[in-house]
Amino acid sequence: MTPAYAQSPQKATWLWNTQLIVNSTASILSFAASQNVTLIYLQVNADLDANVYQHFIAAASAQGITVQALDGAPSWALDSRRHELQATLDWITTYQQGASADEKFSGIHIDIEPYLLPEWRTDQLTVIAGWQHSVESVVQAAHSLHIPASADIPFWLHTLLTADESATLSSWMMQQYDSITIMAYRDSASGILDVAEAQLAEGDAVGTPVYVGVETNPTSEGNTITFYEEGAAYLNNQLARVTKQAGKHDSFAGIAVHDYAGWSTLVSK
């Protein structure tokens, strides 16, 4: 499936605190418009009524913004926890079946990150195999709904192989998903491009759109990871440079800023 994405670079953001769409839809979409956001990864929360999602997605659609269903957990890579992933996929399927055209999610976006599991250190090969099974489940569910599937991956995933050692893990992911977002979390254009380059090149090779993700939240991983200290003006300057230089790659689909909460706080400082 070829995802419907604009030829000009898009701008995306993650919205993890789904509760915000209950009362803050107008402010979220106003911010999105001010930052030229065209895609929102919205975490699904089964505790919210479907009509809350319907209202938000319809309002976003009217503004030319697409909304993808976001969820994930490191444990979803384990075969023993596949039922947790399946529960989310089942919820999305039920939601889509009850929503009108302008209220439907435009895709499924998954963030699994199994390298945070203790099992990653003790039995990495089994975890990788399980991760691949999870990806296949996501893609099958999305395509049965006639929507694209996408995911976040770390910038170093090209250094690992699939369970059968037939390809790099990132290249394999790109051949399953309809687009990929690289978590290229650095606080300068040169740093972002350095860590994103290998996977942008892989995206070129397999024909998969690749978004370059950046961080705006405070982190304990070091000041070079996030734009939190530098502020919005510097962020915009560096993202313009990334967009210009990454544009040499046919795979470059745009920028994804993590996340709405951190980004909007940065802009309001």
Side-chain angles (χ1 to χ4, degrees), residues 49-229:
D49 289 339
N51 63 4
V52 176
Y53 292 95
Q54 291 167 355
H55 174 263
F56 180 81
I57 295 173
S61 298
Q63 198 172 295
I65 296 172
T66 54
V67 181
Q68 295 188 356
L70 165 68
D71 207 358
S75 61
W76 285 8
L78 303 177
D79 289 334
S80 62
R81 306 284 285 277
R82 186 72 27 73
H83 62 281
E84 297 172 3
L85 166 61
Q86 192 59 50
T88 292
L89 297 176
D90 291 346
W91 183 92
I92 295 168
T93 297
T94 300
Y95 174 84
Q96 293 291 92
Q97 291 169 344
S100 62
D102 67 340
E103 297 167 346
K104 292 181 188 289
F105 288 104
S106 65
I108 298 176
H109 189 86
I110 296 296
D111 183 13
I112 295 182
E113 303 190 45
Y115 40 87
L116 301 176
L117 295 170
E119 291 90 339
W120 185 261
R121 295 187 296 276
T122 59
D123 193 6
Q124 187 178 103
L125 190 62
T126 299
V127 176
I128 287 174
W131 192 3
Q132 291 182 256
H133 297 153
S134 296
V135 171
E136 290 165 347
S137 296
V138 172
V139 171
Q140 181 179 3
H143 291 181
S144 70
L145 294 169
H146 308 292
I147 55 177
S150 62
D152 304 326
I153 61 173
F155 65 81
W156 45 261
L157 204 62
H158 66 286
T159 66
L160 298 179
L161 296 177
T162 53
D164 66 2
E165 300 186 348
S166 64
T168 70
L169 195 48
S170 51
S171 177
W172 183 88
M173 295 270 183
M174 290 178 191
Q175 292 175 71
Q176 314 309 312
Y177 285 118
D178 297 290
S179 69
I180 285 292
T181 301
I182 309 169
M183 294 180 284
Y185 293 171
R186 294 292 184 269
D187 66 354
S188 67
S190 60
I192 293 162
L193 290 161
D194 281 349
V195 299
E197 177 64 30
Q199 289 179 2
L200 284 165
E202 286 189 331
D204 292 343
V206 299
T208 301
V210 175
Y211 291 84
V212 176
V214 299
E215 179 68 275
T216 62
N217 289 292
T219 175
S220 60
E221 296 179 52
N223 291 347
T224 60
I225 302 298
T226 176
F227 284 96
Y228 176 76
E229 299 86 8

Side-chain angles (χ1 to χ4, degrees), residues 225-246:
I225 302 298
T226 176
F227 284 96
Y228 176 76
E229 299 86 8
E230 290 85 3
Y234 178 79
L235 168 68
N236 291 337
N237 176 275
Q238 297 303 298
L239 293 187
R241 293 186 183 189
V242 170
T243 299
K244 182 177 180 180
Q245 294 180 51

